[in-house]
Amino acid sequence: MRHGKKFNHLSRTAPHRKAMLSNMASSLIQHKRITTTVAKAKALRKYVEPLITKAKDDTTHSRRVVFSYLQDKETVTTLFNEVAEKVATRPGGYTRIIKTNNRLGDNADMCIIELVDYNELLLAEAAPAPKAKRSRRGGKKKDAAVEAPVAEVVEEAPVEEVEAVEAEVEETTEVATEEAPAAEAEEAPEAPADDAEEEEEKKDGE
């Protein structure tokens, strides 16, 4: 009876299953991503993640334990020197399973299993955008920026236009000064006439 034995045998004997998972783990560490069935990927995840955790402690004993599972010196070197540094700050969950289309031959569920810290596209999307700092001085800077071009326009105004405006102002002032004495001259004779009438009225009254 197999009571309590719920792991997937993958239709293989124990030595065959162990060798297959060892080879798949070596391929995953070397290439950082492999394509396989969903059932094998789930079994591989349970097999390789404890080895990656073991690789964080770089000691002779850890290397020998990992080598007993992988049986490949180059893979062990890559795991301890490269992968362990990359996942040093991650507390588990080193792999990701991405499901793809079914296989044409037997319609098996296929997927891609990869190391999380080596997918640059997903890491870039997950990175938080920098927050803009708010300050009360921003309004003053904008006002200064708006005033500066206006001042430049005034300073760069052509000299000819300025002279023309000054000439128009002088002409208007001259016309105004000429009209003012003429108006005073017209109003001046009326004053003596009024005085003469008043004198005549006084004489008559006497």
Side-chain angles (χ1 to χ4, degrees):
M1 292 182 294
R2 53 183 306 272
H3 292 224
K5 297 180 182 179
K6 296 181 180 179
F7 67 91
N8 193 345
H9 292 273
L10 300 175
S11 300
R12 287 165 174 82
T13 60
H16 188 183
R17 183 178 185 276
K18 183 179 178 180
M20 183 191 68
L21 292 177
S22 177
N23 292 334
M24 291 177 66
S26 296
S27 299
L28 178 63
I29 293 169
Q30 290 289 345
H31 303 289
K32 312 303 186 291
R33 173 186 295 184
I34 60 174
T35 301
T36 183
T37 61
V38 175
K40 290 179 182 177
K42 290 180 179 180
L44 176 61
R45 180 167 56 185
K46 293 179 182 180
Y47 185 88
V48 74
E49 289 199 359
L51 299 181
I52 297 174
T53 302
K54 196 76 172 176
K56 289 183 178 181
D57 184 18
D58 190 1
T59 61
T60 303
H61 177 66
S62 298
R63 285 178 177 265
R64 286 175 176 173
V65 170
V66 173
F67 179 77
S68 68
Y69 284 90
L70 299 179
Q71 297 294 320
D72 188 354
K73 290 183 179 180
E74 294 181 1
T75 303
V76 172
T77 302
T78 303
L79 176 61
F80 277 84
N81 295 345
E82 180 183 346
V83 178
E85 294 179 359
K86 192 82 170 178
V87 302
T89 58
R90 185 177 293 277
Y94 311 109
T95 58
R96 178 189 293 115
I97 294 176
I98 303 172
K99 293 184 179 181
T100 58
N101 296 331
N102 295 352
R103 190 159 54 191
L104 294 178
D106 57 356
N107 201 35
D109 295 332
M110 301 298 292
C111 69
I112 296 172
I113 182 170
E114 64 181 7
L115 296 178
V116 172
D117 294 287
Y118 284 88
N119 192 329
E120 301 297 337
L121 296 177
L122 294 179
L123 289 176
E125 293 178 359
K131 295 183 180 179
K133 295 182 179 179
R134 296 182 180 179
S135 61
R136 296 181 179 178
R137 298 180 182 178
K140 295 182 180 179
K141 293 181 181 178
K142 292 180 180 178
D143 296 340
V146 173
E147 292 177 357
V150 175
E152 292 177 359
V153 172
V154 174
E155 292 175 0
E156 295 178 358
V159 179
E160 297 178 356
E161 294 182 2
V162 175
E163 293 178 354
V165 172
E166 291 178 354
E168 291 179 0
V169 172
E170 291 178 358
E171 290 178 0
T172 53
T173 52
E174 290 177 358
V175 171
T177 51
E178 290 177 356
E179 291 178 354
E184 292 177 357
E186 291 177 356
E187 294 177 356
E190 294 179 357
D194 295 338
D195 294 341
E197 291 178 359
E198 290 178 357
E199 291 177 358
E200 290 177 357
E201 289 178 358
K202 290 180 179 179
K203 291 179 182 181
D204 296 336
E206 293 176 355

